[in-house]
């Protein structure tokens, strides 16, 4: 039995990455989907996240009937392995039609492509048995301010949300905010933006968010506070726990790798607010370091989970009473040390 039966864990096929960066090629051989599914099971994870084209490769070259047929085959495979599909996300940043953005492209034909592909993504999610669609709005933003109109882009995003919500009355949309990369500035950079735009949609209750630790840090925010904020609205439907060393390229480091205390506070908030009790998954959106040898290429996943589990134990054994006494006395100096001592194990 899992150490923390309350939590279910998951990763996506892209988290078994091969080490390519903008300056050099892969450093590890590519593995097949079957290999990744086997590894995920071996590691004791419960679910898998999917982009639409992870579920159905070369999706744009296939007929709608073929796409659904392949999604059904995948569902059978997953059932056979006892693995749940946590979510499906339309990958709207690879295809030539999405060069200038997807829902906010300046070209109406390309906006149509993005919406059609999103509807198909919902159909795939239905087949895979999940009601959760994740929207990482990768190219919805600008490289230069004058190329788009921010007000119009907001309207276009609402139109796209509405088209998806109308396509399926049960589906929930979790916006995954990120402030930059690949864009200079993204249109929905924070949790606040995601929850605000949800209010403009035709069914606000079905638009929520997914918080990724690194994305919050890139926005200069504390991921634990972002989590608390979204939980206050009952709208945190998934998390991508990882780590990020300051304002750099998106690093997707193992959870806790850069700042253990920031990781501890995220776990503490997840525990306090009851995250997971409605079936939400703990997902790790982490990548191996480029230097990682093939034989160590699953360690970023097992290590992230180990850190999470140990921080759950730390959150549960936190000397709350002593902490509250220090808070009441405004003795934050000793509160600080109490936290450090707790994390250091004394
Ligand atoms: C990139 C994002 C990305 C998404 C994934 C699911 O910065 O974190 O990995 O989480 O594409 O939509
Ligand atoms: Mg992510």
């Amino acid at each position: 039995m899992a150490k923390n039966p309350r939590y279910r864990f998951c990763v996506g096929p892209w988290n078994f990455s091969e080490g390519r960066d903008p300056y050099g090629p892969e450093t590890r051989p590519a593995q097949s989907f079957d290999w990744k599914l086997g590894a995920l099971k071996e590691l004791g994870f419960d679910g898998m996240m999917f982009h639409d084209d992870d579920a159905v490769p070369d999706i744009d070259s296939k007929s709608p009937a073929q796409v659904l047929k392949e999604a059904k085959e995948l569902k059978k495979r997953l059932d056979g392995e006892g693995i749940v599909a946590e979510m499906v996300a339309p990958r709207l940043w690879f295809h030539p039609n999405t060069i200038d953005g997807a829902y906010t492209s300046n070209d109406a034909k390309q906006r149509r492509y993005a919406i059609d592909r999103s509807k198909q993504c919902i159909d795939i999610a239905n087949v895979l048995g999940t009601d959760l669609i994740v929207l990482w709005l990768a190219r919805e933003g600008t490289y230069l301010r004058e190329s788009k109109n921010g007000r119009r882009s907001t309207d276009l995003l609402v139109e796209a949300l509405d088209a998806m919500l109308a396509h399926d009355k049960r589906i929930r949309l979790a916006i995954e905010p990120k402030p930059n990369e690949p864009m200079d500035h993204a249109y929905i950079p924070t949790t606040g933006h995601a929850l605000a735009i949800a209010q403009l949609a035709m069914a606000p209750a079905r638009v929520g968010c997914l918080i990724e630790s690194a994305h919050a840090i890139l926005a200069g925010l504390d991921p634990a506070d972002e989590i608390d904020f979204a939980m206050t609205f009952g709208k945190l439907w998934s998390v991508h726990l990882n780590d990020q060393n300051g304002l750099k390229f998106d690093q997707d480091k193992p959870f806790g790798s850069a700042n253990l205390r920031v990781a501890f506070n995220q776990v503490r908030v997840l525990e306090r607010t009851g995250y997971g009790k409605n079936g939400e998954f703990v997902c790790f959106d982490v990548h191996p370091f480029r230097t990682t040898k093939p034989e160590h290429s699953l360690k970023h996943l097992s290590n992230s989970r180990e850190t999470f589990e140990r921080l759950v134990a730390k959150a549960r054994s936190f000397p709350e009473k002593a902490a509250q006494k220090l808070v009441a006395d405004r003795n934050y100096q000793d509160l600080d040390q109490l936290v450090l001592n707790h994390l250091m194990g004394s």
Side-chain angles (χ1 to χ4, degrees):
M1 180 145 109
K3 277 189 221 152
N4 287 293
R6 174 164 141 211
Y7 293 107
R8 296 193 294 169
F9 297 95
C10 105
V11 294
W14 65 90
N15 297 119
F16 300 79
S17 53
E18 292 99 35
R20 190 151 77 113
D21 71 13
Y23 306 98
E26 287 76 5
T27 55
R28 291 175 295 279
Q31 302 289 359
S32 67
F33 176 78
D34 282 358
W35 185 92
K36 293 175 184 177
L37 186 57
L40 182 143
K41 269 203 77 172
E42 187 84 14
L43 287 167
F45 281 65
D46 314 276
M48 202 180 219
M49 312 184 261
F50 290 94
H51 293 115
D52 51 359
D53 60 355
D54 293 323
V56 181
D58 301 319
I59 196 164
D60 283 307
S61 68
K62 294 175 179 164
S63 70
Q66 180 68 17
V67 167
L68 289 183
K69 182 169 166 273
E70 290 188 30
K72 279 181 197 152
E73 283 160 12
L74 173 62
K75 169 72 169 146
K76 229 189 252 162
R77 278 279 349 247
L78 295 175
D79 284 350
E81 303 283 356
I83 295 294
V84 173
E86 191 238 1
M87 63 82 166
V88 189
R91 196 198 297 271
L92 294 173
W93 52 93
F94 246 74
H95 193 276
N97 285 352
T98 60
I99 288 173
D100 189 31
Y103 311 128
T104 65
S105 169
N106 278 325
D107 181 332
K109 268 209 298 293
Q110 295 174 354
R111 295 200 297 273
R112 172 57 38 211
Y113 165 83
I115 288 182
D116 287 346
R117 189 157 160 178
S118 305
K119 289 181 181 168
Q120 182 170 57
C121 178
I122 293 171
D123 299 341
I124 294 172
N126 273 325
V127 173
L128 296 187
T130 176
D131 66 351
L132 193 62
I133 299 293
V134 167
L135 301 175
W136 171 43
L137 303 168
R139 298 196 189 278
E140 316 296 3
T142 58
Y143 299 106
L144 57 153
R145 284 269 74 76
E146 301 80 3
S147 62
K148 289 184 184 175
N149 173 329
R151 167 66 211 268
R152 178 166 174 265
S153 293
T154 307
D155 290 341
L156 289 172
L157 286 169
V158 174
E159 246 177 64
L161 296 175
D162 284 353
M164 288 180 258
L165 294 166
H167 183 69
D168 186 308
K169 295 281 179 308
R170 280 180 336 111
I171 214 78
R172 292 178 300 144
L173 308 175
I175 298 175
E176 179 181 350
K178 182 179 181 183
N180 62 289
E181 199 204 38
M183 307 316 294
D184 179 7
H185 287 285
Y187 280 132
I188 307 291
T190 68
T191 307
H193 290 81
L195 298 190
I197 203 168
Q199 295 309 309
L200 296 181
M202 63 173 275
R206 290 195 286 130
V207 185
C209 71
L210 176 166
I211 291 173
E212 173 164 324
S213 326
H215 297 178
I217 294 166
L218 283 169
L221 299 170
D222 178 64
D225 277 351
E226 292 287 274
I227 291 171
D228 250 337
F229 186 74
M231 287 301 282
T232 308
F233 287 77
K235 287 212 169 182
L236 186 60
W237 297 338
S238 188
V239 289
H240 283 182
L241 300 184
N242 59 13
D243 216 347
Q244 170 72 27
N245 190 11
L247 304 182
K248 299 188 169 80
F249 59 94
D250 187 12
Q251 297 178 313
D252 295 337
K253 288 185 174 213
F255 184 51
S257 161
N259 193 328
L260 200 56
R261 186 174 184 172
V262 169
F264 168 67
N265 280 313
Q266 289 170 74
V267 173
R268 200 161 169 245
V269 169
L270 293 172
E271 278 278 301
R272 170 163 46 69
T273 55
Y275 180 86
K277 284 192 173 149
N278 299 317
E280 303 92 347
F281 277 78
V282 170
C283 307
F284 298 112
D285 200 353
V286 291
H287 289 273
F289 303 123
R290 188 164 194 267
T291 45
T292 303
K293 294 177 185 171
E295 61 266 37
H296 306 143
S297 68
L298 299 176
K299 283 301 213 169
H300 62 305
L301 305 175
S302 55
N303 290 344
S304 290
R305 179 168 172 177
E306 179 184 337
T307 303
F308 180 89
E309 306 258 17
R310 292 192 61 178
L311 289 176
V312 168
K314 286 284 175 191
R316 290 179 186 172
S317 62
F318 185 69
E320 201 59 61
K321 265 207 193 117
Q324 284 315 318
K325 252 173 108 178
L326 293 171
V327 169
D329 189 30
R330 210 181 70 202
N331 186 352
Y332 300 160
Q333 210 63 61
D334 282 346
L335 177 64
D336 186 40
Q337 195 60 22
L338 183 84
V339 174
L340 293 182
N341 284 342
H342 186 63
L343 288 177
M344 287 189 291
S346 63

